[in-house]
Amino acid sequence: MQELCTVVCRFLAWSSARLCSHTEDVRSFDPLLEPFALKQVALRNRVVSTSHEPAYAEEGMPKERYRLYHREKALGGVGLTMIGGSAVIAPDSAPSFGNLLLYQDEIVPWLRRLTDDVHEAGAAVMCQVTHLGRRTSNFTGDWLPLVYPSALREPTHRSFPKAAEPWDLDRIVADYVSAAERCLAAGLDGIELQSYGHLLDAFLSPATNRRVDALGGDLEARMTFPRRVIRAVRAAVGPDFVVGIRMSMDEDRPDGLGRGEALHALGRFVEDGVDFLSVIKGTIESDATLARVIPSMGTPSAPFLDFAGEIRRAVGIPVMHASRISDVATARHALREGLLDLVGMTRAQIADPHLVAKVAAGHEDRIRPCVGANYCLDAIYQSGDAKCIHNPATGREQTLSHVIPPAPERRRVVVVGAGPAGLEAARVLGERGHDVIVLEAAELPGGQVRLAATAARRRDLLGIVDWRLSEAKHSGVEFRFGAFAEATTVLAEEPDVVVVATGGLPNTTVMGEGASLVTDTWDVMSGAVHPQGRVLVYDDNGAEPALDAAELLAVRGAAVELVTPERTLAPDIGSMNSPAYLRAFAEHDVTVTLARRLTGVRRERGGLVALLGSDYTDVEIERHVDHVVVEHGTLPNDELYVDLVQHSTNAGAVDHAALLAVRRQEVHTHPDGRFQLFRIGDAVASRNIHAAVYDALRLCTAI
């Protein structure tokens, strides 16, 4: 691991030096690389990682993992990285998604260390500051009542707040001041006040401020509390410290804050001390509205960019914006056309924290693309922290590097399978300098990712495949498509290492009778079958495949009923992606049946009868349908792996301690074996894209 760290540090030093020299050449015509002054803060370029919360904190503190995550983006060339997406200022603003605790003095030295690292790497750093209001739960943290302008429940977080009393507002103003002073003491370059979906904007919006006292009513009254906070913060931090605001400039709802009122309020906020604006359009109180503010794949690129440009032309302070600006061309357009002063490429830098460095070095074609899956956000609620769907090093900088180090010796490696796991293995092994051959039975790479991308809304998933294929070829990896691999095929290559990434095959063994009468989601998505009429889609997996199939069938005119044994629909699909499916189901009248388990299928004249049992009762019901489609994950396609075990030195065994530490595998249980053998991805068990590439990265980085 020490050798790995040395190699990576040398590469980053070289990359940084190259970035500085090359930037001078391209800055004259690339607006992304132009410097920008944000008050007294000199930014080296106009690319920002806007405020977001990856939930990497420990006990509310930005410790090692949090620090290294932001340091990586600074090393990768970003001009400004913003931390603490909704860092909270008070105990009654309980953390709901891993928020930093700005109300504790203990946070200052942790912030200071992060700030020093980011500055040393050449970037500026600011922190978002907020009181969540009702966007959390009173059943967590210190179990304090939530406060809000009016006693209105937020649909997403579901708690009922109380209407804030004068003494609540007095202490909250003081809490904002204390939090800002801690950020100043930590050496941060500035802060950003959060004003969309939280407490400040709740007072400003007529949709959420129903008060009849001096803080409610017309716009001037509704501005009273947020203006009080801004003035107090400005007085506390002095005139030079940067204070910005991330604000909804149009809530896009009939009873909400409109553009005219928002611009008027912003003008007052600027008078009170606000230095820059980060533009938001919409609200985030429900899954549906949040998914519009932070759009996923299948939606237009940069949907609010023109709106942000209109706001910029109407205000006199610097403007930034980030909403699905995921590619360099769109970011350049935003700056060249004067739509923005600073361009937020936040999810894009979760996918590739070295995005700016690659632009400056003339390697745009090697940027790992953000495919818009929004797994980064959904994973926070599903598993506790952010994860890029196809960059497993993000958030794991303590053990994994974004720069693949060269291997100490060249080895001959055969990778079987060109799905996400196999392609990642090939990419990493190629960059390590090994002699790599990939054998793929299909004529095209991608495996299950290519199948999932047949859904029109999810076609951007192909970026996961295309980038890896390009990177692997860049490193000299040899691909053989249409090559069905048997044990003799692999042995003939005389490999030193074999990585089996053959994926899985659909598992429809979920019922007692009638397995031969059902089809699977692969058949539907590939076009191998075209079910019509009454179709029952049974989902015993809870992820995207069943919903993709149900949507496709419904759009084609089938009468679809989606049945699941779960108490909720598709529990593995988070709030960022579920709205698109639910909208399609509503538009095409898909019936959803919960808590019913498919127990059997039989043929009757005119169609099929599906038997539906329940985990909660002995009552069984029947559905008369034309087709039954089953989604129950996959079973490992492991025949080749089993055949190769006897020829390997390690019998396929993996040293888990070495794997987790990203050390070389040294299991040798078969002294007469000819090669090391490993299997990864769904060839091991049915999982997801992130698991597949994570398997490959941490294994192959040490080969």
Side-chain angles (χ1 to χ4, degrees):
M1 192 64 188
Q2 182 63 41
E3 294 177 0
L4 171 61
C5 292
T6 301
V7 169
V8 171
C9 288
R10 287 175 179 170
F11 177 89
L12 291 172
W14 170 85
S15 178
S16 178
R18 176 165 182 158
L19 171 62
C20 293
S21 62
H22 191 82
T23 299
E24 296 301 322
D25 298 331
V26 300
R27 183 176 288 158
S28 60
F29 61 87
D30 193 338
L32 290 174
L33 302 178
E34 291 176 351
F36 187 81
L38 194 57
K39 211 166 185 178
Q40 284 80 21
V41 179
L43 305 180
R44 59 182 169 182
N45 57 59
R46 298 191 180 218
V47 181
V48 179
S49 173
T50 55
S51 52
H52 62 289
E53 186 48 70
Y56 296 156
E58 300 172 46
E59 299 175 326
M61 299 294 117
K63 297 184 181 180
E64 192 80 353
R65 186 184 184 194
Y66 204 105
R67 177 180 64 84
L68 293 177
Y69 167 70
H70 283 281
R71 175 178 176 266
E72 193 71 35
K73 284 185 280 192
L75 290 169
V78 72
L80 167 64
T81 188
M82 304 185 77
I83 70 171
S86 306
V88 297
I89 63 163
D92 66 338
S93 176
S96 58
F97 34 85
N99 313 64
L100 297 180
L101 305 182
L102 277 179
Y103 58 84
Q104 294 187 4
D105 291 338
E106 175 191 354
I107 201 169
V108 174
W110 293 110
L111 288 174
R112 168 63 73 176
R113 188 177 180 196
L114 184 154
T115 300
D116 289 346
D117 269 14
V118 170
H119 284 168
E120 184 179 352
V125 56
M126 299 184 187
C127 183
Q128 187 180 82
V129 178
T130 197
H131 190 293
L132 292 167
R134 66 178 183 176
R135 193 168 176 77
T136 183
S137 172
N138 50 262
F139 302 123
T140 188
D142 294 312
W143 284 58
L144 292 171
L146 305 186
V147 296
Y148 209 57
S150 306
L152 302 173
R153 180 180 188 246
E154 188 204 52
T156 296
H157 288 84
R158 302 177 58 80
S159 289
F160 292 91
K162 75 163 188 170
E165 300 174 69
W167 65 270
D168 289 312
L169 301 181
D170 290 344
R171 64 177 174 78
I172 289 172
V173 171
D175 288 335
Y176 266 106
V177 167
S178 296
E181 289 175 336
R182 292 184 184 97
C183 292
L184 178 64
L188 289 162
D189 296 293
I191 62 171
E192 174 186 77
L193 301 173
Q194 213 274 27
S195 185
Y196 68 105
H198 292 189
L199 188 62
L200 291 185
D201 58 287
F203 276 90
L204 192 61
S205 172
T208 48
N209 186 340
R210 310 281 180 82
R211 300 177 75 99
V212 294
D213 61 8
L215 301 179
D218 63 16
L219 178 61
E220 291 299 323
R222 286 183 272 119
M223 285 192 293
T224 302
F225 178 68
R227 292 192 69 182
R228 181 183 171 193
V229 169
I230 294 167
R231 288 169 177 166
V233 167
R234 172 54 71 198
V237 298
D240 297 331
F241 193 62
V242 176
V243 177
I245 191 165
R246 196 169 196 184
M247 176 176 171
S248 178
M249 299 304 294
D250 184 348
E251 291 188 326
D252 198 20
R253 54 186 291 181
D255 59 345
L257 185 73
R259 173 180 165 177
E261 284 197 333
L263 283 170
H264 183 82
L266 179 64
R268 295 292 181 265
F269 295 166
V270 172
E271 293 174 4
D272 296 333
V274 164
D275 299 311
F276 71 85
L277 168 69
S278 182
V279 174
I280 295 291
K281 184 177 183 183
T283 62
I284 56 174
E285 67 178 13
S286 69
D287 289 353
T289 58
L290 178 63
R292 287 196 289 270
V293 171
I294 310 176
S296 294
M297 63 174 63
T299 59
S301 175
F304 309 123
L305 184 54
D306 288 339
F307 172 79
E310 293 170 2
I311 297 299
R312 181 182 181 268
R313 288 190 290 271
V315 302
I317 56 173
V319 171
M320 70 175 72
H321 171 66
S323 182
R324 198 159 157 71
I325 304 176
S326 55
D327 63 280
V328 170
T330 302
R332 281 202 187 98
H333 164 76
L335 296 174
R336 279 183 176 148
E337 297 303 315
L339 304 176
L340 301 175
D341 297 292
L342 297 166
V343 61
M345 302 189 74
T346 308
R347 284 177 288 175
Q349 289 177 94
I350 292 175
D352 193 338
H354 294 180
L355 180 150
V356 180
K358 290 177 181 179
V359 170
H363 295 156
E364 285 180 38
D365 59 323
R366 301 195 65 185
I367 293 172
R368 186 191 309 244
C370 172
V371 298
N374 269 350
Y375 185 68
C376 49
L377 293 164
D378 280 344
I380 293 174
Y381 284 97
Q382 291 173 340
S383 56
D385 52 22
K387 300 173 185 66
C388 175
I389 192 171
H390 76 128
N391 187 351
T394 294
R396 297 187 177 104
E397 286 82 5
Q398 290 167 285
T399 55
L400 292 171
S401 174
H402 292 269
V403 179
I404 305 301
E409 59 177 321
R410 184 179 176 89
R411 307 179 78 188
R412 184 167 177 79
V413 186
V414 172
V415 177
V416 186
L423 288 171
E424 177 71 352
R427 177 190 77 87
V428 174
L429 292 165
E431 286 200 38
R432 294 275 282 159
H434 295 304
D435 178 13
V436 184
I437 298 169
V438 179
L439 306 176
E440 168 56 51
E443 296 298 329
L444 293 171
Q448 292 181 61
V449 172
R450 185 168 293 277
L451 191 68
T454 60
R457 193 176 62 254
R458 304 183 73 208
R459 63 180 178 271
D460 286 354
L461 287 173
L462 287 176
I464 296 171
V465 176
D466 295 342
W467 180 78
R468 281 175 172 74
L469 186 65
S470 175
E471 287 292 291
K473 288 182 176 178
H474 181 85
S475 299
V477 173
E478 178 185 349
F479 285 88
R480 299 177 190 171
F481 295 106
F484 183 81
E486 297 180 325
T488 54
T489 314
V490 175
L491 294 172
E493 297 296 333
E494 299 184 353
D496 300 305
V497 180
V498 176
V499 179
V500 175
T502 46
L505 296 171
N507 178 9
T508 58
T509 58
V510 298
M511 68 203 82
E513 61 174 322
S516 63
L517 300 177
V518 306
T519 188
D520 57 69
T521 56
W522 286 29
D523 286 336
V524 173
M525 298 306 296
S526 67
V529 299
H530 296 275
Q532 295 293 320
R534 300 162 298 172
V535 183
L536 186 148
V537 177
Y538 178 67
D539 182 19
D540 199 10
N541 181 5
E544 288 85 356
L547 271 62
D548 283 338
E551 181 179 353
L552 178 64
L553 292 168
V555 169
R556 289 177 176 172
V560 178
E561 180 180 9
L562 181 60
V563 178
T564 175
E566 306 287 351
R567 63 185 177 92
T568 59
L569 176 66
D572 288 343
I573 300 179
S575 60
M576 300 305 303
N577 286 289
S578 59
Y581 290 111
L582 295 174
R583 180 173 60 251
F585 290 178
E587 290 172 348
H588 297 282
D589 199 23
V590 172
T591 300
V592 175
T593 299
L594 303 177
R596 282 290 176 180
R597 188 175 295 280
L598 183 65
T599 58
V601 178
R602 68 175 185 267
R603 189 179 297 282
E604 285 191 358
R605 182 179 301 176
L608 303 175
V609 176
L611 306 176
L612 303 179
S614 171
D615 296 343
Y616 307 100
T617 179
D618 294 331
V619 176
E620 188 174 70
I621 61 176
E622 296 181 350
R623 291 287 192 268
H624 294 263
V625 296
D626 298 299
H627 302 275
V628 175
V629 178
V630 170
E631 169 55 41
H632 186 61
T634 62
L635 291 172
N637 181 21
D638 59 0
E639 183 178 349
L640 174 63
Y641 169 80
V642 172
D643 289 345
L644 291 173
V645 166
Q646 62 182 317
H647 302 288
S648 68
T649 59
N650 62 323
V654 176
D655 179 345
H656 283 173
L659 180 73
L660 298 179
V662 196
R663 297 195 311 266
R664 181 172 178 168
Q665 293 288 320
E666 296 183 346
V667 177
H668 295 286
T669 53
H670 285 184
D672 297 329
R674 299 165 60 178
F675 50 80
Q676 286 184 300
L677 173 67
F678 306 102
R679 60 172 169 160
I680 56 177
D682 280 12
V684 180
S686 183
R687 289 173 290 168
N688 64 13
I689 295 170
H690 183 84
V693 294
Y694 188 25
D695 270 7
L697 177 61
R698 60 181 170 181
L699 172 71
C700 296
T701 294
I703 289 178

